[in-house]
Amino acid sequence: MPELPEVETIKRELEQSVVGLKIVDVEVPVSSVVKIPTNDFVRRVRGTTITGIGRRAKIILIHLSSGDTLLFHLKVAGNLLYMPADVEKEKAQVIFVLNNGYELRFRDPRLFGYVKLISGDVFRSPELSRLGPEPLSDQFTLDTFREMLQRRPRSQIKGLLLDQSFIAGIGNIYADEILFYARVYPARPAGSLTDEEIRRIYEGIRVILSRAIAERGTSIISYIDLYGKKGNYGNFLKVHYQAGKPCGNDCAGTVVKIKVAGRGTYVCPDCQK
Ligand SMILES: [Zn+2]
């Protein structure tokens, strides 16, 4: 699933490519991914200009001149692609025809992803109003993180990192990498963490997510960016998807796969305590 670094990459590419362009037509070959009536959706989007791009957690926002906002959740396997209109459409579910000969296409072979159109303050919509803090924002400080953990002492740290209402944008790949960076075992209850371990997890969140954005995200299964290119961070993964390989710290240990918080979880049992 695309996580914060992948979605942030697409957001930055959208800022470079589509802001200021007019949406001259909208095609909806598969209406189930659009969460309002198709006729209404097409009527309200057609003829608007893209005025800005946003991201919150794993959600992409495209602000329109009408005051409405397009909200995209890519879920497990969704892609947002920018390409010339004459390139074959490859089973896109929603196509925004732009006034420069290009199209913005939403494509999800699994059909779990969706598009909504929100009027008014998008941050009060159900998708955005219950999210935890953005981990790279100035508001998310070490003190804030420590207080958040103190309120959930019995919860496993990995489960908390995956919980979008606790902290926004982290999924299974980066939770594993952050806890490896911090040398903390993913099943540890938050209440058992020392001040030093909390500091290392906080630092890991900031460092790992920033590096992954700089490498344009991770492509393990299906993620590609706005231009159809894969992310590079897969080359830097230390534990996630690395079962059986030597530990990335050269500790002489081997990465193993276990289950924590209901998810396949990769750890070095020698480094992570
Ligand atoms: Zn190790």
Side-chain angles (χ1 to χ4, degrees):
M1 178 188 279
E3 303 179 28
L4 187 155
E6 291 77 39
V7 178
E8 178 66 21
T9 299
I10 294 171
K11 179 219 161 192
R12 292 179 183 189
E13 292 173 341
L14 283 167
E15 279 174 335
Q16 288 169 6
S17 299
V18 304
V19 174
L21 296 178
K22 188 172 175 181
I23 299 173
V24 294
D25 203 2
V26 185
E27 299 167 21
V28 186
V30 181
S31 60
S32 63
V33 301
V34 176
K35 298 303 177 193
I36 67 168
T38 309
N39 289 349
D40 212 22
F41 181 75
V42 171
R43 181 178 56 77
R44 285 167 59 192
V45 175
R46 186 191 281 150
T48 62
T49 297
I50 296 172
T51 55
I53 311 294
R55 178 193 62 74
R56 179 77 169 101
K58 305 172 190 173
I59 292 167
I60 293 173
L61 305 170
I62 297 184
H63 302 294
L64 303 176
S65 55
S66 59
D68 291 342
T69 301
L70 286 164
L71 181 156
F72 295 84
H73 202 314
L74 304 178
K75 290 285 181 176
V76 180
N79 299 127
L80 208 48
L81 294 163
Y82 176 72
M83 52 179 60
D86 56 7
V87 174
E88 194 195 344
K89 293 194 192 330
E90 286 186 75
K91 296 194 177 121
Q93 282 87 38
V94 186
I95 299 151
F96 302 89
V97 182
L98 304 169
N99 64 338
N100 66 343
Y102 277 67
E103 292 177 348
L104 185 63
R105 300 176 185 173
F106 178 76
R107 187 183 71 183
D108 184 352
R110 308 273 300 266
L111 298 179
F112 293 136
Y114 61 84
V115 185
K116 279 188 173 184
L117 187 66
I118 311 281
S119 300
D121 184 358
V122 68
F123 292 99
R124 302 179 84 159
S125 68
E127 273 87 359
L128 301 191
S129 61
R130 290 189 281 269
L131 292 168
E134 278 294 318
L136 297 177
S137 67
D138 292 342
Q139 290 76 29
F140 179 66
T141 64
L142 176 57
D143 285 343
T144 310
F145 185 49
R146 191 180 294 114
E147 287 162 18
M148 287 160 59
L149 291 170
Q150 280 165 358
R151 290 196 290 270
R152 303 285 299 273
R154 286 182 295 278
S155 301
Q156 292 178 333
I157 182 61
K158 176 157 179 184
L160 287 176
L161 293 181
L162 294 176
D163 179 349
Q164 299 301 296
S165 67
F166 181 80
I167 186 168
I170 299 172
N172 208 29
I173 299 172
Y174 298 106
D176 284 355
E177 294 297 309
I178 288 163
L179 293 173
F180 176 78
Y181 177 98
R183 305 194 297 281
V184 169
Y185 199 72
R188 289 271 301 282
S192 76
L193 298 170
T194 66
D195 262 3
E196 170 59 16
E197 286 169 335
I198 292 170
R199 192 197 61 74
R200 290 202 306 258
I201 297 168
Y202 175 80
E203 186 180 278
I205 290 170
R206 308 277 277 203
V207 167
I208 298 288
L209 294 178
S210 300
R211 281 183 193 159
I213 291 170
E215 297 294 339
R216 300 173 30 266
T218 303
S219 297
I220 291 179
I221 299 167
S222 62
Y223 168 72
I224 48 176
D225 73 3
L226 191 66
Y227 311 120
K229 289 187 299 191
K230 292 184 172 188
N232 291 326
Y233 196 73
N235 298 321
F236 301 94
L237 294 175
K238 302 268 194 183
V239 285
H240 189 78
Y241 234 65
Q242 310 296 313
K245 294 189 184 168
C247 167
N249 279 348
D250 293 328
C251 74
T254 300
V255 177
V256 297
K257 185 178 182 183
I258 58 174
K259 201 155 207 178
V260 178
R263 303 291 299 274
T265 294
Y266 298 85
V267 296
C268 172
D270 290 357
C271 290
Q272 293 173 261
K273 300 295 180 190

